[in-house]
Amino acid sequence: CCCGDGIDRVKKRKTKVMPNNVLGYNRTSHSRRGNIHDIHLRLRHPRTHELLDYQSIAGTMCHELAHCVRGPHDAKFYKAMEEI
């Protein structure tokens, strides 16, 4: 749900809840095959439930994809984000 109730309806378990001012996050887990990235995006405004504009969603997606190659928000991160 876009409300951020923190419940995974499929697996019936508690998940991370996004604060209202966060449009997305990238959760990285590690396996024998390498890093696995789960990108979570907010598509609706948390209070009004109106769809967010395309630019906000696309920009957030680029930001989270850049975190797949660079963690900290430094010059290398912003270069990766610009390339995406």
Side-chain angles (χ1 to χ4, degrees):
C1 172
C2 62
C3 302
D5 61 5
I7 302 294
D8 182 331
R9 303 284 181 216
V10 175
K11 295 181 181 176
K12 307 277 193 257
R13 64 185 169 111
K14 195 81 170 146
T15 61
K16 182 176 180 176
V17 177
M18 282 195 283
N20 287 344
N21 64 337
V22 173
L23 295 181
Y25 63 92
N26 181 333
R27 184 173 56 201
T28 304
S29 56
H30 308 282
S31 74
R32 285 179 256 151
R33 294 182 186 183
N35 292 342
I36 299 169
H37 301 275
D38 292 327
I39 294 175
H40 298 255
L41 298 176
R42 174 169 278 148
L43 302 178
R44 295 183 178 272
H45 190 279
R47 290 188 194 95
T48 65
H49 294 264
E50 292 179 16
L51 286 171
L52 295 170
D53 64 286
Y54 174 82
Q55 294 299 326
S56 295
I57 296 169
T60 302
M61 184 65 172
C62 290
H63 180 101
E64 299 309 333
L65 283 169
H67 277 304
C68 292
V69 294
R70 186 68 180 168
H73 294 110
D74 59 10
K76 290 179 182 178
F77 169 84
Y78 288 108
K79 184 174 191 243
M81 191 172 148
E82 189 65 33
E83 289 176 4
I84 293 170

